[in-house]
Amino acid sequence: MPKHSRELIGKLEHEALKIRRRLVRMIYQAGSGHPGGSLSATDVIAALYFHVLNVDPKDPSWVDRDRFVLSKGHACPAWYAALAERGFFPIEELDTLRKTGSRLQGHPDMRKTPGVEASTGSEGQGLSNGIGMALAAKLDRRSYRIYVMVGDGENDCGQTWEAAMSASFYKLDNLCAIVDRNLMQLDGPTKHIMSLEPLADKWKAFGWKVLEIDGHNFAEILKAFDKAESVKGKPTVIIARTLKGKGVSFMEGAVAFHGKAPNEEEYEQAMTELGGEP
Amino acid sequence: MNYGAWKKESQRDFWAKALLELGRERKDIVVLSADLSTSVKTSVFAKEFPERHFNVGIAEQNMMSIAAGFAASGKTVFASTFAAFGTGRVYDQIRQSIAYPEMNVKIVATHAGITVGGDGATHQIVEDIALMRALPNMTVVVPADAPETYLAIRAVADYIGPVYLRMGRADVPTIASIQDDFKLGKATVLRDGDDVTLIGTGVMVSRCLVAADELTKEGIDARVLNMSTIKPLDREALIKAARDTGAVVTAEEHSVTVGMGAAVAMDLAENAHVPMKRVGIPDVFGESGDSDELMEKYGLTAENIIEATHDVMRRKGGAL
């Protein structure tokens, strides 16, 4: 297992911080959005777009690219920020999030936004989308990989488990799911809304290789993605333990910031904590 | 009414034949089933191309979203199941995964309408056309007989974008006047006439033709229009027929409140004010029974079309 350099991890931490600043700003400017689940997902998304994924921002539909599907579509501000930082579209466009005529819809639209691979938002469909892509890759004997991030709340959805069952049945070792296990959903803590535990055992029972990591620790994130790529004959799920609202103290673990924009005062405090406006 | 002279053929067999040919001609064709492959006849394709057929089990939500993933990867996807399970059960998956991003997925639904027969209301969807017609980007096709089903499948395979195509389970009369020039979005005149236009879709087209023959005996000269694409509706053919004949009757094996007749009524209200009457299933669920008996019970016979014609002819006369 290659050990990842301190430089790489430092670079990813830097990119993640930029993404956090940008996404909080985007949601503040839009006046609505989902900061909590965007911030929890940020580090995994940063690792994907700045190290793991083989993509070409100049040719977003390059046939051999790796695919990323954000099944928890409401976290798209983190995705958009990563795509813009990676060069898929101009950074300035981030300020148009959720505005009339924008290419950056409130939930991902694959027809509008360069780099967005699936239209998601209504929960529980993205893993199935990824399975179609993974089966197509196998059929075409292409070696690209498919990554799908699902929210932990999406583990409530029956379709997630239909998908989980079929991915192992089809032996999709080119598919890697990441559960953003931030322990919260819109109405409150997942354990109070619909208990998911033992979550790892459930995925194991559905035939997946399961890796459990700290979803804010880049060494663990990168190691998990390496491991997932080496697993043959079955799909891998990375259960990334994360903190909703990670990086902004008053959003951390706060149900209120699942789907609410910060006000001016909150925005300024968030920017101070994140080291200044983007 | 006697249909004894008509040859009856299976739409499902012709769909299976078209799909198999497409599979042989095109490597990009992928087929998905949901534990009904023998009923919907995708098993024919699966036998020759097992590597391109995916039976996902009783998991239609998964099937529709997987279909979208395939389409996003450049495949032309046929996803097939019963109409009840391929529309209402998965409306949101079709909406978000397929229709909204304009994925190249063809939903081919069999066992539509009440002619399913014995299985009863749970399996006899009467509102699938309405659901699919409501979706932006969706094309809705209802072939009139088995040979037209073959042509329609070939045509939708060449069209890039989401399509819903429905057919029944029962064998349907083959219509001699249907030509080989099927075009998506085009209605065809199967019988010319000046007094009234009978617009049929699916199995009801044959009923319209039988009704038109009977009406001749009364001196009524009926035009018959085969509306095999319901969305986009062939507005040009519709308005021309309404203006030429001055009266319109629609007939469909679907809820009369929200189907093809409703679409025609809206267009006529805006574009051509002629007396109009819809023949179809009333606003009720179906039930178990013999399919011909159910067609009678729910008002889907040539007699019902003739009665409706009398009604519009009376009103047409009054208007003149």
Side-chain angles (χ1 to χ4, degrees), chain A residues 67 105 108-111 117 119-122 125 128-129 131-133 135-136 139-140 144 159 162-163 166 170, chain B residues 30 51-52 54-56 59-62 65-66 68-70 72-73 75 92-93 96-97 100-103:
Chain A
R67 272 77 166 166
Q105 294 293 295
D109 180 340
M110 64 183 288
R111 289 293 185 193
E117 300 280 4
S119 297
T120 53
S122 177
Q125 298 185 29
S128 303
N129 296 153
I131 289 168
M133 296 173 190
L135 286 169
L139 200 53
D140 293 340
Y144 58 81
Q159 189 180 350
E162 291 183 2
S166 60
Y170 293 125
Chain B
V30 167
E51 73 287 356
R52 283 192 273 148
F54 300 87
N55 190 338
V56 301
E60 293 83 359
Q61 301 182 0
N62 198 28
S65 302
I66 288 177
F70 266 121
S73 312
K75 302 299 178 192
D92 187 49
Q93 282 71 22
Q96 172 169 292
S97 287
Y100 175 45
E102 297 178 75
M103 290 291 97

Side-chain angles (χ1 to χ4, degrees), chain B residues 15-283:
Chain B
W15 133 243
K17 177 173 177 273
L19 185 64
L20 186 60
E21 285 179 13
L22 285 164
R24 287 172 181 160
E25 293 162 20
R26 291 172 50 174
K27 291 270 182 275
D28 65 314
I29 302 282
V30 167
V31 178
L32 301 179
S33 308
D35 196 37
L36 289 169
S37 66
T38 48
S39 301
V40 303
K41 309 266 185 180
T42 47
S43 52
V44 175
F45 179 95
K47 197 172 167 205
E48 187 161 328
F49 302 107
E51 73 287 356
R52 283 192 273 148
H53 175 261
F54 300 87
N55 190 338
V56 301
I58 311 167
E60 293 83 359
Q61 301 182 0
N62 198 28
M63 176 170 76
M64 292 304 176
S65 302
I66 288 177
F70 266 121
S73 312
K75 302 299 178 192
T76 299
V77 189
F78 284 87
S80 187
T81 182
F82 289 4
F85 314 137
T87 57
R89 185 175 168 91
V90 285
Y91 181 79
D92 187 49
Q93 282 71 22
I94 296 173
R95 179 178 186 273
Q96 172 169 292
S97 287
I98 297 172
Y100 175 45
E102 297 178 75
M103 290 291 97
N104 195 21
V105 175
K106 323 301 171 188
I107 300 161
V108 177
T110 68
H111 296 61
I114 57 166
T115 46
V116 173
D119 281 346
T122 56
H123 288 49
Q124 296 166 324
I125 194 161
V126 297
E127 73 278 15
D128 56 318
I129 291 174
L131 289 169
M132 295 300 103
R133 185 164 81 82
L135 285 169
N137 299 333
M138 186 62 82
T139 294
V140 179
V141 183
V142 186
D145 68 0
E148 192 176 52
T149 303
Y150 170 86
L151 298 171
I153 293 293
R154 302 282 319 191
V156 301
D158 287 339
Y159 166 80
I160 297 172
V163 174
Y164 177 68
L165 185 148
R166 70 128 51 177
M167 68 188 82
R169 171 183 176 276
D171 291 355
V172 296
T174 296
I175 298 165
S177 50
I178 291 182
Q179 303 295 307
D180 283 347
D181 59 346
F182 179 90
K183 284 193 185 65
L184 268 184
K186 288 286 172 210
T188 47
V189 176
L190 297 182
R191 184 188 196 284
D192 217 349
D194 296 329
D195 295 332
V196 61
T197 302
L198 311 180
I199 304 177
T201 197
V203 67
M204 294 307 288
V205 176
S206 59
R207 271 64 173 174
C208 287
L209 286 164
V210 170
D213 282 346
E214 290 293 319
L215 287 164
T216 310
K217 297 173 190 164
E218 304 173 18
I220 296 171
D221 191 14
R223 179 179 299 187
V224 175
L225 203 56
N226 174 18
M227 195 62 84
S228 45
T229 306
I230 291 175
K231 186 183 177 183
L233 201 65
D234 187 346
R235 185 163 295 140
E236 200 181 328
L238 170 63
I239 304 303
K240 180 174 175 0
R243 290 195 177 137
D244 288 353
T245 65
V248 169
V249 172
T250 60
E252 63 197 305
E253 188 201 355
H254 186 271
S255 168
V256 78
T257 57
V258 284
M260 180 270 285
V264 165
M266 291 194 301
D267 258 319
L268 291 181
E270 289 184 352
N271 297 300
H273 292 174
V274 299
M276 192 249 170
K277 183 91 180 163
R278 291 163 295 141
V279 171
I281 301 167
D283 190 16

